[in-house]
Amino acid sequence: NIGAGIFYPKGQSPKASGESVNKILKEVIVGYLNTFNLTYRWEDLVFRAHPLPIWSGKEALQTPDDRVLLVGDAAGLVGPMFGDGILHALKSGEIAAQSIIKQETARYTQHVHDYFADNLDTARRLSTLLFRFPKLFYRYGVKRPNATRIAMRLLGGDLQYSEIAARVKSKLPFMAR
């Protein structure tokens, strides 16, 4: 399974650019396969597209009667920086299970927000800067020797985005405002 993502050009809707987006994504995925000399048959490749439910802030994650609890992607817990969600899916599933066991489903949304909101809100702010100033973030972030290790720690939950934000803020004077 190989995933690829794209942001729509400013002012362009997914419907307006659908065919070109599909073409670009297919080219990227096939290019990835070719880069690593992976064997494939074009006719066996299956392409599916789906927008990621990127975290956009606090919202209700359960039905009014507290009988349905949303977890992972269904709860919009996809990280805005990397488009990641496996860690969020597992942890929100655990929170849902504990809420059910403790008969506290009415507090499920609050528990998820307590656990995720600050970190995902910070990730959203950082990703906004990243996508606004990609060359700057590439030069001072991605090209750093420890960038992959930091990314893995973020994806694994061992490092919080607030810790990264503090570093970014110290390096970029315009963020101090």
Side-chain angles (χ1 to χ4, degrees):
N1 182 10
I2 298 173
I6 190 167
F7 290 96
Y8 291 102
K10 194 172 189 170
Q12 194 174 39
S13 76
K15 290 182 181 189
S17 60
E19 285 304 313
S20 61
V21 168
N22 287 338
K23 183 178 183 229
I24 292 168
L25 288 174
K26 286 178 182 178
E27 288 172 1
V28 167
I29 291 170
V30 169
Y32 184 83
L33 292 168
N34 293 335
T35 297
F36 292 100
N37 295 318
L38 297 172
T39 305
Y40 65 92
R41 292 179 351 143
W42 179 258
E43 58 274 8
D44 292 337
L45 297 179
V46 177
F47 295 92
R48 292 193 176 94
H50 187 285
L52 291 175
I54 301 290
W55 171 262
S56 60
K58 293 179 179 180
E59 56 189 338
L61 304 177
Q62 63 203 58
T63 55
D65 64 2
D66 304 324
R67 293 180 54 135
V68 176
L69 310 177
L70 300 176
V71 301
D73 289 8
L77 296 176
V78 174
M81 185 70 79
F82 296 109
D84 57 305
I86 293 174
L87 178 69
H88 308 126
L90 293 172
K91 184 61 184 178
S92 61
E94 179 185 342
I95 294 169
Q98 289 299 316
S99 296
I100 292 166
I101 290 167
K102 294 177 182 176
Q103 298 182 344
E104 295 180 352
T105 55
R107 299 191 62 223
Y108 170 72
T109 292
Q110 187 58 51
H111 290 310
V112 171
H113 290 166
D114 289 346
Y115 192 85
F116 289 109
D118 289 341
N119 195 45
L120 289 175
D121 284 342
T122 302
R124 186 178 54 186
R125 287 190 297 276
L126 282 173
S127 68
T128 299
L129 281 172
L130 166 68
F131 299 125
R132 189 169 180 195
F133 304 104
K135 289 180 184 176
L136 192 65
F137 273 79
Y138 181 76
R139 181 181 305 143
Y140 296 107
V142 175
K143 282 186 72 174
R144 295 180 59 93
N146 61 345
T148 300
R149 189 169 23 89
I150 289 171
M152 296 311 298
R153 289 183 63 211
L154 286 166
L155 291 169
D158 297 328
L159 181 65
Q160 299 296 304
Y161 283 98
S162 57
E163 296 172 73
I164 299 297
R167 294 180 201 172
V168 171
K169 192 172 187 178
S170 72
K171 303 285 184 199
L172 302 176
F174 62 87
M175 278 191 64
R177 296 182 208 148

